Amino acid sequence: MAALVDHEVASAAPAESAGSMLRLLTCGSVDDGKSTLIGRLLWESGAVPDDQREAVLAASKGRSNLNGEEIDFSLLLDGLQAEREQGITIDIAWRFFESASRRYVIIDAPGHEQYTRNMATGASHADVAILLIDARHGAKRQTRRHAAICDLVGIRNVVLAVNKMDLIDFDEATFRRIEAEFYEMTKSFGFEQVQAIPVAALTGDNVSGQSARMPWYDGPSLLEYLEESEPAMEALDAPFRFPVQTVLRNGDFRGYAGTVASGAIRPGDRILDARSGLSAHVRRIATMDGDREEAAKGDAVAIELDAELDISRGAVLSEADHAPVNGDVVEARIVWVSETPFDPEAGYLLLTNTDQVPVSSISISALIDFESLQSAPAHDCKVNDIADCRILLGRPAAFDLFSELPATGNFVLVSAIDGATVAGGVITFAQSGAATPENTFVLSRDLLARGLCSDLGDSAEDRAEFERRAQEAANLLRSVGVPVIIEI
């Protein structure tokens, strides 16, 4: 859900290639010790200047939350005045440190429920998520919400740091119970690597090295695990995607400027405009430093074609034989970040990398239940909810499935009145609803009412269940290769 990133946050993110560093998100419920853990890592890595060390030591004196220790490491992260006064993280804190073998970017995300939007923004940058749990309390509702958001934005490597082990006398039985619950919870998500590690951030146990007070644990320390983790990398054969930001004209030169979202392109390659279906060959790849023989992911360039196509901002140039869907019907999973609840009568705009598309209608079919982590029928949502929805657009736009190409498979919903962000989401299905090909199965209201949904009435709950069943039936048919259009 990279489109959810604020401009200020994006400018804080390093410009170096992802392969040179590891981006870490720390998340979990409030007061689970995220800032203390990251502060400890910064302190022990030598990333804290001498003058800041002296200031933290001075500010730590007299604090009552140190369990006998002398340093309040959280002071290194809680930069806002309100954070220091309340002892919580509100905004995203970006910090950098180096180990002997690699560089790290730490994204310390807020744990409080009302700042979930900030957490989602930070998560969109991360390669690895460190999900903290207080060993005294175990997983909370907010812990499960954060895990669901990590899954939503495509994080596949998650570490469960069971923190504050010093406050339960480093009890193995408690850790094993939380570990088992965690592994059971991850079955609901698409995580590929999971690791539970018992730590005590305040005392340093199992943070950067092995703890002598937990001899029963024979796994890696937190830093040892991170040293072996790999950054999220794009597939070598990822298809080319180039969202057009603007059209440049200078004499006879007409170039389409933007940043390569995935894949690579070279002069002579044939490309396609997904919106118009027109294609041409790349004549030239221009930059401020001269022409290039190739443009790859992350490169900001201007592409000149050998034919004049009617292309403007919002278009997506792609490989001719692997194009995105030019669709006006999308199904998506969204996280609602606005304090104003979803209103089906309100006006919304859908924003992609460079496009802005009017929304004709949105229907909510289900919400994630953060207790069971299962989808529950619903027809509305409010702040911090994660919902499945169907969006009809006023005109077609270029989309990829987030599971295949995250960079062009995400979007943001904003209010059409004031432009305020209301939700961020990922595309799970996209199609053109303008026509129904002969080989497409139409899942109509009448068909469902006579069969799968014959037991449902006309109450709000039954209508929500009707939509949920329709979505589930469509997903099952698509999973076996049957093209489906839902008309309800």
Side-chain angles (χ1 to χ4, degrees):
M1 203 163 45
L4 197 70
V5 178
D6 296 330
H7 293 298
E8 294 180 0
V9 173
S11 66
E16 292 88 347
S17 65
S20 65
M21 63 175 62
L22 192 70
R23 293 173 171 84
L24 312 175
L25 172 79
T26 55
C27 56
S29 188
V30 68
D31 290 334
D32 283 349
K34 297 179 298 300
S35 296
T36 300
L37 176 65
I38 300 308
R40 165 71 72 171
L41 279 173
L42 294 173
W43 190 276
E44 294 186 353
S45 70
V48 182
D50 290 341
D51 58 342
Q52 190 175 6
R53 284 176 177 262
E54 294 175 2
V56 169
L57 285 169
S60 299
K61 292 180 180 179
R63 292 218 164 199
S64 59
N65 60 339
L66 302 183
N67 196 25
E69 298 294 318
E70 297 181 353
I71 306 172
D72 186 350
F73 296 103
S74 68
L75 295 176
L76 293 169
L77 275 293
D78 295 338
L80 300 178
Q81 182 68 23
E83 293 174 335
R84 289 179 178 262
E85 293 173 352
Q86 299 178 50
I88 63 173
T89 301
I90 296 174
D91 200 3
I92 296 171
W94 294 78
R95 296 294 185 271
F96 311 89
F97 79 96
E98 295 185 12
S99 68
S101 59
R102 72 168 2 143
R103 289 176 291 169
Y104 293 90
V105 181
I106 300 173
I107 310 163
D108 184 32
H112 201 283
E113 184 173 338
Q114 74 185 92
Y115 305 116
T116 297
R117 169 179 173 165
N118 294 354
M119 180 269 166
T121 300
S124 66
H125 289 287
D127 301 308
V128 179
I130 303 173
L131 185 61
L132 275 86
I133 287 180
D134 188 327
R136 298 170 298 175
H137 308 307
K140 301 176 183 176
R141 179 182 177 87
Q142 184 70 341
T143 310
R144 290 184 283 272
R145 176 183 281 110
H146 282 181
I149 292 175
C150 288
D151 179 57
L152 178 72
V153 301
I155 297 176
R156 293 295 172 254
N157 188 345
V158 176
V159 183
L160 179 76
V162 183
N163 193 24
K164 303 188 180 181
M165 290 294 295
D166 52 318
L167 300 184
I168 61 166
D169 296 325
F170 303 97
D171 180 58
E172 179 181 7
T174 301
F175 170 74
R176 297 301 180 192
R177 174 180 55 80
I178 295 174
E179 178 186 42
E181 293 173 353
F182 171 65
Y183 287 137
E184 183 64 27
M185 179 181 71
T186 60
K187 293 178 181 178
S188 300
F189 304 120
F191 303 138
E192 297 171 358
Q193 293 177 261
V194 293
Q195 175 72 47
I197 303 174
V199 301
L202 195 58
T203 60
D205 291 87
N206 271 348
V207 176
S208 59
Q210 294 291 324
S211 169
R213 289 184 277 197
M214 288 180 277
W216 44 264
Y217 174 73
D218 58 2
S221 69
L222 178 60
L223 186 58
E224 289 170 346
Y225 181 83
L226 297 176
E227 291 282 78
E228 298 299 321
S229 296
E230 293 297 328
M233 301 294 289
E234 181 179 82
L236 295 177
D237 59 349
F240 174 70
R241 294 291 185 270
F242 186 79
V244 175
Q245 294 177 345
T246 189
V247 181
L248 303 178
R249 297 178 179 86
N250 184 12
D252 293 334
F253 176 81
R254 178 185 174 93
Y256 305 103
T259 300
V260 180
S262 67
I265 196 73
R266 299 169 184 83
D269 287 352
R270 180 167 169 260
I271 58 95
L272 176 78
D273 169 30
R275 290 199 303 197
S276 66
L278 301 175
S279 64
H281 290 85
V282 177
R283 172 183 292 165
R284 176 185 174 195
I285 301 175
T287 72
M288 294 294 293
D289 299 318
D291 290 2
R292 301 180 61 167
E293 290 302 313
E294 180 182 80
K297 180 179 179 180
D299 291 339
V301 298
I303 297 176
E304 183 182 15
L305 304 178
D306 64 356
E308 290 194 8
L309 304 183
D310 185 14
I311 296 175
S312 59
R313 176 180 172 84
V316 176
L317 303 183
S318 70
E319 296 178 7
D321 57 354
H322 196 155
V325 176
N326 187 42
D328 55 6
V329 179
V330 298
E331 294 172 11
R333 175 159 286 186
I334 62 173
V335 54
W336 196 263
V337 299
S338 173
E339 295 292 337
T340 303
F342 166 69
D343 180 359
E345 302 301 322
Y348 299 110
L349 299 173
L350 185 147
L351 309 185
T352 62
N353 288 275
T354 59
D355 206 357
Q356 178 174 290
V357 190
V359 173
S360 297
S361 68
I362 303 177
S363 58
I364 304 295
S365 60
L367 295 180
I368 298 298
D369 184 332
F370 294 116
E371 298 302 328
S372 66
L373 295 177
Q374 301 299 313
S375 295
H379 59 276
D380 55 16
C381 66
K382 59 185 185 304
V383 65
N384 298 330
D385 281 342
I386 296 179
D388 292 326
C389 67
R390 186 167 185 259
I391 304 173
L392 304 183
L393 301 173
R395 63 166 174 81
F399 298 104
D400 285 293
L401 301 188
F402 183 80
S403 60
E404 297 176 357
L405 280 178
T408 47
N410 67 80
F411 65 91
V412 165
L413 288 175
V414 303
S415 167
I417 302 299
D418 58 10
T421 300
V422 298
V426 299
I427 303 293
T428 57
F429 177 75
Q431 69 180 14
S432 173
T436 304
E438 293 181 359
N439 64 343
T440 299
F441 183 76
V442 179
L443 202 58
S444 66
R445 174 172 290 277
D446 288 343
L447 182 65
L448 290 163
R450 291 197 305 267
L452 183 62
C453 301
S454 60
D455 60 318
L456 300 177
D458 196 41
S459 67
E461 292 77 11
D462 282 356
R463 289 197 301 271
E465 175 62 12
F466 193 104
E467 293 182 5
R468 188 194 70 81
R469 292 184 189 181
Q471 297 284 359
E472 290 293 335
N475 289 340
L476 288 172
L477 289 168
R478 290 172 187 141
S479 70
V480 294
V482 179
V484 179
I485 291 177
I486 302 174
E487 293 185 351
I488 58 175

